[in-house]
mmCIF file with all atom_site columns, all heavy atoms in Angstrom:
data_model
loop_
_atom_site.group_PDB
_atom_site.id
_atom_site.type_symbol
_atom_site.label_atom_id
_atom_site.label_alt_id
_atom_site.label_comp_id
_atom_site.label_asym_id
_atom_site.label_entity_id
_atom_site.label_seq_id
_atom_site.pdbx_PDB_ins_code
_atom_site.Cartn_x
_atom_site.Cartn_y
_atom_site.Cartn_z
_atom_site.occupancy
_atom_site.B_iso_or_equiv
_atom_site.pdbx_formal_charge
_atom_site.auth_seq_id
_atom_site.auth_comp_id
_atom_site.auth_asym_id
_atom_site.auth_atom_id
_atom_site.pdbx_PDB_model_num
ATOM 1  N N   . ALA N 1 138 ? 14.388 -160.690 -266.434 1.00 92.00 ? 138 ALA N N   1
ATOM 2  C CA  . ALA N 1 138 ? 13.271 -159.751 -266.553 1.00 92.00 ? 138 ALA N CA  1
ATOM 3  C C   . ALA N 1 138 ? 13.767 -158.404 -267.068 1.00 92.00 ? 138 ALA N C   1
ATOM 4  O O   . ALA N 1 138 ? 14.869 -157.971 -266.740 1.00 92.00 ? 138 ALA N O   1
ATOM 5  C CB  . ALA N 1 138 ? 12.589 -159.572 -265.202 1.00 92.00 ? 138 ALA N CB  1
ATOM 6  N N   . SER N 1 139 ? 12.943 -157.751 -267.872 1.00 92.00 ? 139 SER N N   1
ATOM 7  C CA  . SER N 1 139 ? 13.284 -156.412 -268.360 1.00 92.00 ? 139 SER N CA  1
ATOM 8  C C   . SER N 1 139 ? 12.674 -155.331 -267.484 1.00 92.00 ? 139 SER N C   1
ATOM 9  O O   . SER N 1 139 ? 13.158 -154.198 -267.465 1.00 92.00 ? 139 SER N O   1
ATOM 10 C CB  . SER N 1 139 ? 12.806 -156.231 -269.803 1.00 92.00 ? 139 SER N CB  1
ATOM 11 O OG  . SER N 1 139 ? 11.391 -156.367 -269.883 1.00 92.00 ? 139 SER N OG  1
ATOM 12 N N   . ASP N 1 140 ? 11.596 -155.665 -266.756 1.00 95.00 ? 140 ASP N N   1
ATOM 13 C CA  . ASP N 1 140 ? 10.920 -154.686 -265.910 1.00 95.00 ? 140 ASP N CA  1
ATOM 14 C C   . ASP N 1 140 ? 10.389 -155.356 -264.651 1.00 95.00 ? 140 ASP N C   1
ATOM 15 O O   . ASP N 1 140 ? 10.025 -156.541 -264.664 1.00 95.00 ? 140 ASP N O   1
ATOM 16 C CB  . ASP N 1 140 ? 9.737  -154.048 -266.652 1.00 95.00 ? 140 ASP N CB  1
ATOM 17 C CG  . ASP N 1 140 ? 10.137 -153.338 -267.926 1.00 95.00 ? 140 ASP N CG  1
ATOM 18 O OD1 . ASP N 1 140 ? 10.212 -153.999 -268.980 1.00 95.00 ? 140 ASP N OD1 1
ATOM 19 O OD2 . ASP N 1 140 ? 10.397 -152.124 -267.865 1.00 95.00 ? 140 ASP N OD2 1
ATOM 20 N N   . ILE N 1 141 ? 10.345 -154.582 -263.572 1.00 97.00 ? 141 ILE N N   1
ATOM 21 C CA  . ILE N 1 141 ? 9.702  -154.992 -262.328 1.00 97.00 ? 141 ILE N CA  1
ATOM 22 C C   . ILE N 1 141 ? 8.568  -154.009 -262.067 1.00 97.00 ? 141 ILE N C   1
ATOM 23 O O   . ILE N 1 141 ? 8.793  -152.797 -262.016 1.00 97.00 ? 141 ILE N O   1
ATOM 24 C CB  . ILE N 1 141 ? 10.672 -154.978 -261.135 1.00 97.00 ? 141 ILE N CB  1
ATOM 25 C CG1 . ILE N 1 141 ? 11.888 -155.870 -261.400 1.00 97.00 ? 141 ILE N CG1 1
ATOM 26 C CG2 . ILE N 1 141 ? 9.953  -155.422 -259.856 1.00 97.00 ? 141 ILE N CG2 1
ATOM 27 C CD1 . ILE N 1 141 ? 12.970 -155.723 -260.341 1.00 97.00 ? 141 ILE N CD1 1
ATOM 28 N N   . HIS N 1 142 ? 7.350  -154.517 -261.896 1.00 97.00 ? 142 HIS N N   1
ATOM 29 C CA  . HIS N 1 142 ? 6.195  -153.670 -261.582 1.00 97.00 ? 142 HIS N CA  1
ATOM 30 C C   . HIS N 1 142 ? 5.800  -153.899 -260.133 1.00 97.00 ? 142 HIS N C   1
ATOM 31 O O   . HIS N 1 142 ? 5.476  -155.034 -259.749 1.00 97.00 ? 142 HIS N O   1
ATOM 32 C CB  . HIS N 1 142 ? 5.015  -154.006 -262.489 1.00 97.00 ? 142 HIS N CB  1
ATOM 33 C CG  . HIS N 1 142 ? 5.186  -153.578 -263.905 1.00 97.00 ? 142 HIS N CG  1
ATOM 34 N ND1 . HIS N 1 142 ? 4.382  -152.636 -264.499 1.00 97.00 ? 142 HIS N ND1 1
ATOM 35 C CD2 . HIS N 1 142 ? 6.085  -153.951 -264.845 1.00 97.00 ? 142 HIS N CD2 1
ATOM 36 C CE1 . HIS N 1 142 ? 4.763  -152.454 -265.757 1.00 97.00 ? 142 HIS N CE1 1
ATOM 37 N NE2 . HIS N 1 142 ? 5.801  -153.248 -265.981 1.00 97.00 ? 142 HIS N NE2 1
ATOM 38 N N   . CYS N 1 143 ? 5.816  -152.848 -259.329 1.00 96.00 ? 143 CYS N N   1
ATOM 39 C CA  . CYS N 1 143 ? 5.366  -152.910 -257.942 1.00 96.00 ? 143 CYS N CA  1
ATOM 40 C C   . CYS N 1 143 ? 4.103  -152.057 -257.851 1.00 96.00 ? 143 CYS N C   1
ATOM 41 O O   . CYS N 1 143 ? 4.172  -150.821 -257.871 1.00 96.00 ? 143 CYS N O   1
ATOM 42 C CB  . CYS N 1 143 ? 6.441  -152.392 -256.985 1.00 96.00 ? 143 CYS N CB  1
ATOM 43 S SG  . CYS N 1 143 ? 8.002  -153.303 -257.086 1.00 96.00 ? 143 CYS N SG  1
ATOM 44 N N   . GLU N 1 144 ? 2.933  -152.725 -257.758 1.00 96.00 ? 144 GLU N N   1
ATOM 45 C CA  . GLU N 1 144 ? 1.651  -152.047 -257.909 1.00 96.00 ? 144 GLU N CA  1
ATOM 46 C C   . GLU N 1 144 ? 0.833  -152.113 -256.627 1.00 96.00 ? 144 GLU N C   1
ATOM 47 O O   . GLU N 1 144 ? 0.408  -153.194 -256.213 1.00 96.00 ? 144 GLU N O   1
ATOM 48 C CB  . GLU N 1 144 ? 0.869  -152.686 -259.060 1.00 96.00 ? 144 GLU N CB  1
ATOM 49 C CG  . GLU N 1 144 ? 1.650  -152.679 -260.368 1.00 96.00 ? 144 GLU N CG  1
ATOM 50 C CD  . GLU N 1 144 ? 1.117  -153.658 -261.399 1.00 96.00 ? 144 GLU N CD  1
ATOM 51 O OE1 . GLU N 1 144 ? 0.855  -154.827 -261.027 1.00 96.00 ? 144 GLU N OE1 1
ATOM 52 O OE2 . GLU N 1 144 ? 0.985  -153.262 -262.556 1.00 96.00 ? 144 GLU N OE2 1
ATOM 53 N N   . PRO N 1 145 ? 0.599  -150.972 -255.963 1.00 95.00 ? 145 PRO N N   1
ATOM 54 C CA  . PRO N 1 145 ? -0.129 -150.977 -254.692 1.00 95.00 ? 145 PRO N CA  1
ATOM 55 C C   . PRO N 1 145 ? -1.645 -151.090 -254.891 1.00 95.00 ? 145 PRO N C   1
ATOM 56 O O   . PRO N 1 145 ? -2.222 -150.418 -255.763 1.00 95.00 ? 145 PRO N O   1
ATOM 57 C CB  . PRO N 1 145 ? 0.236  -149.614 -254.091 1.00 95.00 ? 145 PRO N CB  1
ATOM 58 C CG  . PRO N 1 145 ? 0.476  -148.732 -255.277 1.00 95.00 ? 145 PRO N CG  1
ATOM 59 C CD  . PRO N 1 145 ? 1.044  -149.613 -256.347 1.00 95.00 ? 145 PRO N CD  1
#
Side-chain angles (χ1 to χ4, degrees):
S139 61
D140 301 86
I141 303 171
H142 289 244
C143 301
E144 304 162 313

